[in-house]
Amino acid sequence: AAPGVSATFLKSLIHIDQTTGDVSFDRTQFNFLDAGQTVTFMIQVQSKSGPETKPVVIPITITGANDAPTVVLSDSVVA
């Protein structure tokens, strides 16, 4: 991830519904990633088949993109 980005901050960007297991995130919160830069979340779940339950790790990788530039105009006057 980007230098200076804490694990606590990154964890706050991913939301897991404990009832349904749905994983969601707001893609705009990852605008700090440069084009091609990635952050990977490793989410551990329990997989159950019959009487057996085993831990499974699901990786979720988010890759930064080169966002289109924006222009902000102001009403300033140059003398």
Side-chain angles (χ1 to χ4, degrees):
V5 176
S6 72
T8 302
F9 171 72
L10 290 174
K11 287 179 184 179
S12 75
L13 302 179
I14 295 288
H15 307 284
I16 303 171
D17 184 307
Q18 296 299 316
T19 303
T20 64
D22 289 344
V23 177
S24 62
F25 61 90
D26 178 353
R27 62 180 264 189
T28 62
Q29 291 182 327
F30 291 89
N31 284 343
F32 65 89
L33 292 173
D34 291 332
Q37 191 175 30
T38 63
V39 62
T40 300
F41 294 88
M42 305 300 278
I43 299 174
Q44 184 172 330
V45 297
Q46 297 295 319
S47 175
K48 188 171 185 176
S49 178
E52 293 190 32
T53 300
K54 296 196 178 215
V56 176
V57 176
I58 302 171
I60 298 174
T61 301
I62 299 171
T63 304
N66 186 8
D67 301 313
T70 59
V71 176
V72 177
L73 301 175
S74 67
D75 292 333
S76 59
V77 176
V78 177

